[in-house]
Amino acid sequence: MVEKILANLEKSNCATDNTFLQAVSEVLTSLEPIVSSDPRYGQYSILERLVTPDRVIAFKVQWIDDQNRVQINNGYRIQFNNSLGPYKGGLRFHPTVTTGVLKFLAFEQIFKNSLTGLPIGGAKGGSDFDPKGKSEIEIMRFCHAFMRELHQYIGARVDVPAGDIGVGSREIGYLFGEYKRITRQYDGVLSGKPYAFGGSLMRPQATGYGVVYFAREMLQVELQESLEGKMCTVSGAGNVAIHTIEKLQQLGAIVLTCSDSDGAIYDPNGINLALLRELKEGGARLSLSEYATRISGSVYTPKADYPKDAHAVWQIPCFAAFPCATQNELTLNDAKKLIENGCVAVVEGANMPTLPDAIELLQREGILFSPGKASNAGGVAVSEFEMSQNASMEKWDFDKVDRKLDELMRQIYKRVSLTAKEYGVERNFVDGANIAAFKRVAEAMLLEGV
Ligand code: NDP
Ligand code: 2IT
């Protein structure tokens, strides 16, 4: 008993999570050449202020499980920077959630949101609650308990959470219901809501479709290549992966892989999206091993063989690779394999899925590499479109949102690649994204004063 409590405490107070430092170090390295270009950055301590969150909110979430036992989880909201607009960013429900992980995600979100050109600041939140194996009613009870604490910190013009790992429209629906009951406010306080009450068409598809729109533009401009007929690999099997696969297939690409936390699927005939959805969407959430049972010729590699097979997706030869599962999933060895197999582009759908040494190698070898803060910004952009529709009590049709998303992803690509050129690091989309995003946030911070 005591041992279990101590182990849980150790996990939630873990000081060994380096993801925040990893994210900050990448951004500050990109900014080195430009920080001396404007004396105001130093004079007003812009960098020091930018790496310090405005607020780290932590709270206790108490709920009752199906056996009538009291369960306790940690809840968090990190409001990092609201210079450009209300705090905006997703909620993650996953046992690995700590303040460190959420700080990295909230920090990245500032830059991503800046790149969209829309008026949104950076935030992230979530809980170490594990949705796996929970009943529908337990998920609902947990979401209600989480909102009983969170509601006091958010607002349509203050902080607008959305989904991330473990949080989709079902969870957002329960969170919104409780917010409304407590506050009596029916406003755009959350995005990613079900369409039935205030959600935007295309928000579920937005991140994955946006990733592919970005990739299409980058490949066209840089290599005069299209995705049609090309072999692609995707990791993950959640919201981002499924919609990345869907759009790739619509554009004529052949998607060979997907993965979940237990293992990976390689299907030489192309992933059967209908089956993937059947296994992963809705309440079922079955293991991908089931895919191999149902589709002959497909190969399932369980992660039980770790580390040998933990990165099975990146062993498969492809034209372009799309990491869409989670942070730090694509290692130096994976990058070597991709290069050896002739991959020309790595387009991040997840947040920070590629390790720093892997990025460096890919860039050195001339592979087009797009950081998540640029290529996965379509999700948060359509979240902002949802806020816009809620504020004006409008409903936009699917085609309108889709067109606006496509246009916005092209704009982000243009902004990132032009900035890279302007600063003498052509095709370095990491530096281009960090510099372009920083300049917009820094300008706002300077204009707003201390
Ligand atoms: P989901 O919860 O819908 O899906 C996550 C998927 O990734 C699940 O299939 C999960 O497996 C799998 N996964 C998690 N960890 C691992 C791992 N270590 N190895 C292999 N697979 C793993 O989350 P999303 O699709 O929403 O998020 C995926 C990524 O995209 C995250 O980095 C998120 O921050 C980012 N993102 C999400 C946006 C959104 O709008 N949702 C917007 C921008 C970025 P299992 O099924 O076993 O749990
Ligand atoms: O990482 C992300 O951009 C998200 N999880 C979506 C955030 C949002 O507010 O839609």
Side-chain angles (χ1 to χ4, degrees):
M1 170 82 154
V2 170
E3 236 169 67
K4 193 170 154 218
I5 295 174
L6 283 176
N8 281 342
L9 268 185
E10 200 173 305
K11 191 161 64 73
S12 54
N13 288 280
C14 159
T16 54
D17 179 77
N18 288 324
T19 45
F20 177 55
L21 290 180
Q22 183 184 331
V24 171
S25 150
E26 180 208 280
V27 169
L28 294 192
T29 308
S30 292
L31 298 181
E32 213 157 347
I34 77 149
V35 282
S36 50
S37 69
D38 189 332
R40 296 174 307 163
Y41 296 154
Q43 194 180 344
Y44 292 97
S45 302
I46 293 294
L47 290 185
E48 292 88 331
R49 286 161 59 200
L50 201 49
V51 301
T52 311
D54 289 350
R55 220 157 284 109
V56 177
I57 300 160
F59 47 88
K60 179 166 66 178
V61 186
Q62 309 184 102
W63 57 283
I64 311 281
D65 70 14
D66 286 347
Q67 282 72 44
N68 281 331
R69 285 182 308 227
V70 177
Q71 297 284 347
I72 318 278
N73 286 100
N74 293 291
Y76 308 95
R77 186 71 180 164
I78 314 247
Q79 298 177 334
F80 218 116
N81 185 299
N82 66 350
S83 299
L84 293 176
Y87 298 109
K88 183 86 197 85
L91 296 172
R92 178 176 290 193
F93 291 170
H94 195 272
T96 56
V97 162
T98 59
T99 338
V101 169
L102 295 178
K103 270 171 80 177
F104 119 65
L105 289 162
F107 180 73
E108 288 283 286
Q109 198 84 42
I110 306 169
F111 296 86
K112 179 193 312 196
N113 294 3
S114 170
L115 281 177
T116 65
L118 301 167
I120 38 181
K124 203 85 185 190
S127 173
D128 52 9
F129 171 74
D130 186 357
K132 280 214 180 100
K134 302 293 188 297
S135 69
E136 179 80 25
I137 200 88
E138 286 178 325
I139 300 272
M140 184 177 82
R141 275 194 226 114
F142 176 79
C143 289
H144 288 172
F146 186 84
M147 186 51 86
R148 278 199 290 280
E149 287 299 320
L150 184 69
H151 78 273
Q152 53 197 310
Y153 309 110
I154 60 176
R157 297 291 166 116
V158 180
D159 181 355
V160 182
D164 193 80
I165 290 181
V167 179
S169 65
R170 171 181 68 168
E171 290 73 19
I172 294 289
Y174 293 146
L175 290 163
F176 185 78
E178 189 67 359
Y179 178 84
K180 193 163 57 71
R181 277 185 287 274
I182 296 169
T183 64
R184 291 177 291 116
Q185 300 282 325
Y186 201 113
D187 57 20
V189 69
L190 293 163
S191 64
K193 297 184 289 299
Y195 182 67
F197 56 88
S200 175
L201 286 174
M202 271 233 32
R203 177 62 188 88
Q205 294 87 347
T207 309
Y209 280 22
V211 168
V212 181
Y213 292 152
F214 186 99
R216 174 170 68 179
E217 185 70 4
M218 179 175 77
L219 289 164
Q220 178 58 42
V221 175
E222 303 293 337
L223 305 176
Q224 292 75 57
E225 284 277 13
S226 84
L227 284 158
E228 199 177 344
K230 303 292 193 316
M231 302 294 168
C232 294
T233 49
V234 174
S235 66
N239 172 276
V240 179
I242 285 175
H243 294 103
T244 297
I245 295 171
E246 182 171 68
K247 186 49 77 178
L248 282 169
Q249 292 183 342
Q250 283 173 10
L251 297 183
I254 298 131
V255 182
L256 300 171
T257 62
C258 62
S259 63
D260 64 14
S261 45
D262 294 334
I265 282 288
Y266 164 52
D267 188 340
N269 296 314
I271 292 293
N272 180 326
L273 188 59
L275 174 59
L276 179 62
R277 299 193 110 123
E278 196 185 314
L279 297 178
K280 290 294 181 184
E281 287 184 341
R285 319 244 160 134
L286 299 172
S287 161
L288 280 178
S289 56
E290 184 65 22
Y291 184 104
T293 314
R294 298 210 210 160
I295 301 271
S296 67
S298 65
V299 182
Y300 176 67
T301 311
K303 264 195 181 175
D305 289 354
Y306 186 87
K308 187 164 104 11
D309 294 318
H311 304 280
V313 165
W314 316 123
Q315 306 296 307
I316 308 297
C318 67
F319 171 77
F322 296 81
C324 295
T326 192
Q327 64 269 14
N328 290 339
E329 52 160 317
L330 198 157
T331 64
L332 182 62
N333 277 339
D334 299 329
K336 282 183 187 157
K337 196 71 194 174
L338 286 169
I339 294 164
E340 198 182 302
N341 285 334
C343 171
V344 305
V346 174
V347 186
E348 291 189 335
N351 285 310
M352 209 169 74
T354 317
L355 281 144
D357 52 2
I359 298 178
E360 208 185 302
L361 179 70
L362 291 166
Q363 289 180 322
R364 206 167 52 236
E365 294 295 320
I367 312 302
L368 297 174
F369 175 81
S370 159
K373 61 171 79 82
S375 37
N376 75 28
V380 77
V382 174
S383 272
E384 197 274 352
F385 298 167
E386 184 173 325
M387 290 162 71
S388 229
Q389 293 170 75
N390 291 161
S392 58
M393 308 284 272
E394 283 177 50
K395 285 262 189 201
W396 302 350
D397 64 36
F398 192 93
D399 286 347
K400 175 171 174 171
V401 185
D402 195 26
R403 267 198 316 276
K404 281 174 75 79
L405 172 66
D406 191 3
E407 176 57 27
L408 190 127
M409 295 315 295
R410 286 170 207 260
Q411 287 296 335
I412 294 179
Y413 164 73
K414 200 164 161 193
R415 207 167 281 145
V416 166
S417 70
L418 284 180
T419 307
K421 260 188 211 145
E422 190 189 333
Y423 285 89
V425 284
E426 194 166 350
R427 280 196 174 176
N428 184 332
F429 303 125
V430 173
D431 287 352
N434 288 333
I435 295 171
F438 168 77
K439 285 177 76 173
R440 190 166 169 243
V441 181
E443 198 52 37
M445 288 171 76
L446 288 165
L447 291 170
E448 288 168 12
V450 182

